[in-house]
Amino acid sequence: MTEAKNVMVFIEADRGRVADVSLELVCEAGRLAERLGGTVEAAAMGYGMTEALADLGRYGCRRVYYTEDRRLERFASVPYAKITADIIRRRTPKVVLFGASTTGRDVAPRVASILRCGLTADCTELDIGDYRFKDRQWEDVLLQIRPAFGGNIVATIVSPESVPSMATVREGVMRLIESDPEARAEVLREAVSLGGDDFPTEIIEVIEQERCVDLKSARIIVAAGVGASDPESLKLVRQLARLLGGVVGASRPVVDACVLPRDHQVGQTGTTVRPNLYVACGISGQIQHRAGMAESKRIIAINRDPDAPIFDVAHYGIVGDVREVIPRMIKAYKVRGTL
Amino acid sequence: MPLKIIVTVKQVPDTHNVSGDAMKPDGTVNRAALPAIFNPEDLNALEEALRIKDTLGGTVTAVTMGPPGASEVLRECLYRGADDVVLLSDRRFAGADTLATSYTLACAIRKLGDFDLILCGRQAIDGDTAQVGPQIAEKLGINQFTSVSEVIDVSTDHITVRRTIESGFEILRSGLPVLLTITSDANEPRPPSAKRAMAYKRIGRQACQGDFDEAYIQPGVCGPLDFIREWNADSIGADPQRCGLSGSPTKVKKVQNVVLTASDSRKVPNTDADIAKLIHDLIEENILG
């Protein structure tokens, strides 16, 4: 048997549309596959997805192993895990990547348990490198980098003996690049025999709930922390966000206190964001929060405490009360052009 | 027919309240400086189990894997209404990743005999992996629902839940047995009962090797527990090669302190003029439109 060197991506889809996180992972898989001298493959299951899957070629995917069945139209743990494990066994990739979404984090551990292989959750960075332990050395292993211990440290995890090495990867951290708009992936039908026992879940209803805010694609985010969670400050935060054409974000304590809905939460347990401008209002900047916004192009931090950790990641630090600073910003923006 | 419910719980360092002295100078975490707490979402799992028991009757058995000190979370389970608790403790369990942990827990659950429901917290705050629940379900060959934010209906043979996903919710139904991972939105955990706390405050541990006696936990039959049962790898019939460090395919290569600093950082005085200048600069750079 030839040595495994391909990188496989588990494709997540909603009503036939491939999820953004899967596209991001196909792009990242391309980078890793180049290092390993392999190609990018995908494992997919669903119904009526052939066209959408061939389209993965645009992002650098060479082949898609696809199991089609009407009963697979929506995600279900047991059959999805079984099929994915079957495809991995037959195609022997070196690395398998899943989105760290509710789907990926449901199916990946089940697949890892079937295959008894290593799985690292919620990675924010991947690489290929060597691993040395005592007098042994492994070459070209997947380096799985993730925040650990509530975000207080970053750990590099390896699964040197495990074939494949598997990881779930957080949405929004890998860049989406369309490498060749004309390229098509080869879609190969993967037959897996499925019986009634493989479908123990009955889907009674799916309730779509519009997110009240789309942090991920926002170009400007004005976020409220505990220091801006009183009604007056919050009103100013909203006003500033509206004026600048941005959206309102929040730190975890503000969401935990039910001041703003969970969709607004920025940070490690919320959404990872990288807007053009992030205005942190009254946010002290716990590591979990900073990890979710430090990649923003420009960061303005407003806090009464000059020692607040948020100032470490801010490009512009303003020491002062939100209720004083925001009105100044609003005023300055309104008279722009007159300077 | 009363339900037999298993809850998996974990004692974790309180990573959400890391103070200055919990970080060592080299940037690693000083676990000893952090208080050990009941993993928050495991309390939600326990609460859900107790509610189901209150409605349909049955028994709630809490299982944890950890050093002897982890029996503290089992005491907490007893204070809140668990009927039975098991501590899985063995040097050979140490250093386990999620695969080895789920193997050990699955061996113990199998040893506990037939069951209807397994409830886990969605994830533990020390690792935030959310992997152990699904891996236990796979090892026991049962269905799973993760990120359950509401148990809508449960009978002696079916359960209906609401699962939170990115685009909203799914309402899902399954026959029993099934494993659920419960989120913090699902319920408000009850406080410990003073009466039960008095009864179990000093309950000790006792290593058990022999066969498990089902009658031991029949509620109302044997009365309150005499001790916390402690099992090792041999008592649950686990292959030591699949437990702990030797059963863990993942290894930690290195650990680094998180250093997040802006490339260029400057203070902006809180005055009309300086803030106006800042806004002006951002407009010039096309950061603001």
Side-chain angles (χ1 to χ4, degrees):
Chain A
M1 202 177 82
T2 53
E3 200 206 340
K5 49 189 177 183
N6 293 338
V7 181
M8 185 177 276
V9 176
F10 168 87
I11 300 298
E12 195 176 308
D14 184 16
R15 281 160 300 183
R17 189 185 162 272
V18 175
D20 286 348
V21 69
S22 300
L23 300 179
E24 292 164 14
L25 291 185
V26 167
C27 297
E28 176 67 7
R31 201 180 65 83
L32 299 174
E34 201 170 312
R35 299 280 302 275
L36 294 168
T39 57
V40 179
E41 304 178 318
M45 48 230 79
Y47 189 74
M49 285 175 60
T50 313
E51 256 318 288
L53 294 173
D55 236 20
L56 292 175
R58 289 161 50 191
Y59 303 93
C61 180
R62 188 75 63 81
R63 273 179 303 278
V64 186
Y65 304 107
Y66 175 40
T67 300
E68 185 163 57
D69 191 311
R70 203 173 258 290
R71 295 171 294 181
L72 297 170
E73 218 164 355
R74 271 203 81 87
F75 171 72
S77 319
V78 171
Y80 270 58
K82 178 181 171 174
I83 294 165
T84 308
D86 263 20
I87 293 174
I88 293 170
R89 269 201 204 104
R90 282 185 223 166
R91 306 298 171 178
T92 61
K94 186 176 174 76
V95 169
V96 184
L97 307 178
F98 300 76
S101 58
T102 52
T103 299
R105 297 184 78 179
D106 183 294
V107 72
R110 208 167 163 112
V111 173
S113 179
I114 295 172
L115 300 172
R116 295 193 198 173
C117 66
L119 172 66
T120 303
D122 224 9
C123 295
T124 51
E125 197 184 332
L126 298 171
D127 211 344
I128 301 293
D130 297 344
Y131 173 61
R132 217 176 294 219
F133 183 72
K134 292 183 179 159
D135 52 357
R136 291 196 60 186
Q137 177 157 337
W138 293 264
E139 284 173 5
D140 288 345
V141 298
L142 181 68
L143 307 182
Q144 304 154 81
I145 299 155
R146 71 178 302 252
F149 236 74
N152 296 287
I153 53 173
V154 172
T156 302
I157 312 286
V158 291
S159 317
E161 309 264 77
S162 176
V163 181
S165 275
M166 308 212 307
T168 66
V169 180
R170 174 163 284 231
E171 176 163 19
V173 299
M174 300 300 176
R175 304 231 175 235
L176 186 56
I177 306 152
E178 197 183 39
S179 48
D180 180 358
E182 302 301 315
R184 313 291 288 162
E186 184 185 0
V187 181
L188 301 158
R189 292 305 167 104
E190 199 77 5
V192 174
S193 82
L194 296 164
D197 285 358
D198 292 316
F199 295 91
T201 294
E202 189 187 336
I203 300 166
I204 310 254
E205 200 185 350
V206 178
I207 303 163
E208 301 281 331
Q209 196 183 53
E210 274 295 304
R211 287 190 152 254
C212 36
V213 57
D214 184 6
L215 289 174
K216 224 181 59 179
S217 52
R219 292 180 60 248
I220 294 173
I221 296 173
V222 184
V226 173
S229 59
D230 59 288
E232 192 192 335
S233 306
L234 210 55
K235 201 174 143 197
L236 288 167
V237 166
R238 288 204 170 97
Q239 207 182 334
L240 182 64
R242 207 168 34 236
L243 182 71
L244 302 180
V247 300
V248 174
S251 70
R252 182 186 151 131
V254 169
V255 170
D256 283 349
C258 298
V259 175
L260 284 167
R262 196 154 294 277
D263 286 357
H264 290 268
Q265 189 185 324
V266 173
Q268 208 199 337
T269 47
T271 306
T272 302
V273 299
R274 47 169 71 158
N276 273 344
L277 178 64
Y278 190 89
V279 187
C281 309
I283 294 175
S284 64
Q286 288 288 315
I287 186 72
Q288 292 91 336
H289 187 83
R290 282 182 284 147
M293 48 65 81
E295 297 264 301
S296 305
K297 202 162 166 197
R298 284 286 188 282
I299 297 166
I300 301 176
I302 308 164
N303 206 296
R304 267 185 309 214
D305 173 9
D307 299 321
I310 192 76
F311 288 123
D312 296 344
V313 296
H315 303 95
Y316 308 100
I318 307 171
V319 178
D321 193 300
V322 167
R323 284 166 296 188
E324 242 174 67
V325 178
I326 294 184
R328 289 192 165 120
M329 292 173 74
I330 290 174
K331 194 171 123 200
Y333 188 75
K334 280 186 174 163
V335 301
R336 67 190 186 276
T338 61
L339 277 169
Chain B
M1 202 185 69
L3 291 180
K4 186 164 162 188
I5 309 168
I6 315 265
V7 183
T8 61
V9 298
K10 186 179 188 186
Q11 188 180 50
V12 293
D14 188 1
T15 57
H16 288 169
N17 292 297
V18 173
S19 55
D21 50 339
M23 299 302 289
K24 294 185 199 162
D26 63 354
T28 59
V29 178
N30 179 12
R31 270 183 187 250
L34 292 174
I37 59 166
F38 200 121
N39 180 53
E41 285 181 321
D42 295 350
L43 273 178
N44 298 103
L46 175 66
E47 175 61 27
E48 212 52 56
L50 294 171
R51 285 184 187 191
I52 294 169
K53 180 189 144 178
D54 291 345
T55 319
L56 291 175
T59 56
V60 173
T61 301
V63 183
T64 195
M65 182 180 96
S71 54
E72 195 47 43
V73 292
L74 296 177
R75 274 188 204 97
E76 288 278 330
C77 292
L78 290 170
Y79 300 166
R80 286 175 166 81
D83 298 285
D84 184 29
V85 293
V86 180
L87 172 69
L88 306 175
S89 202
D90 192 320
R91 279 177 193 283
R92 292 170 291 181
F93 296 156
D97 70 1
T98 65
L99 190 72
T101 303
S102 61
Y103 170 72
T104 306
L105 287 167
C107 287
I109 292 168
R110 233 182 249 119
K111 166 120 180 164
L112 286 165
D114 289 337
F115 59 87
D116 300 292
L117 273 173
I118 301 175
L119 272 60
C120 313
R122 182 187 48 145
Q123 63 191 49
I125 60 168
D126 54 348
D128 291 313
T129 72
Q131 288 177 181
V132 171
Q135 292 185 321
I136 293 174
E138 192 282 324
K139 295 212 169 341
L140 296 171
I142 62 171
N143 196 14
Q144 70 190 39
F145 293 143
T146 57
S147 282
V148 170
S149 49
E150 188 187 351
V151 173
I152 296 170
D153 182 52
V154 55
S155 69
T156 52
D157 56 2
H158 276 87
I159 191 161
T160 307
V161 304
R162 184 179 75 162
R163 174 169 185 256
T164 301
I165 57 173
E166 285 81 358
S167 59
F169 305 104
E170 291 175 331
I171 310 296
L172 305 170
R173 187 166 183 265
S174 172
L176 305 182
V178 64
L179 178 144
L180 315 181
T181 76
I182 306 287
T183 70
S184 57
D185 303 336
N187 54 47
E188 191 64 46
R190 68 192 62 187
S193 133
K195 201 175 136 208
R196 294 185 63 97
M198 289 291 283
Y200 287 119
K201 204 172 166 69
R202 284 175 216 291
I203 189 171
R205 291 176 285 117
Q206 193 166 314
C208 301
Q209 298 291 340
D211 279 340
F212 174 60
D213 179 8
E214 277 271 352
Y216 182 78
I217 59 157
Q218 293 301 313
V221 176
C222 296
L225 293 184
D226 297 329
F227 53 85
I228 293 173
R229 266 177 301 141
E230 185 179 327
W231 286 347
N232 63 17
D234 303 323
S235 30
I236 57 173
D239 172 2
Q241 281 307 307
R242 293 183 65 188
C243 296
L245 198 60
S246 51
S248 299
T250 62
K251 315 282 173 203
V252 178
K253 179 177 151 85
K254 71 174 174 188
V255 176
Q256 286 166 291
N257 199 357
V258 176
V259 184
L260 295 171
T261 45
S263 45
D264 55 347
S265 183
R266 67 178 173 92
K267 287 270 180 257
V268 178
N270 182 14
T271 67
D272 279 339
D274 289 290
I275 288 173
K277 173 80 167 60
L278 166 62
I279 297 289
H280 177 78
D281 289 351
L282 290 173
I283 292 169
E284 287 282 287
E285 284 182 82
N286 288 321
I287 297 284
L288 284 177

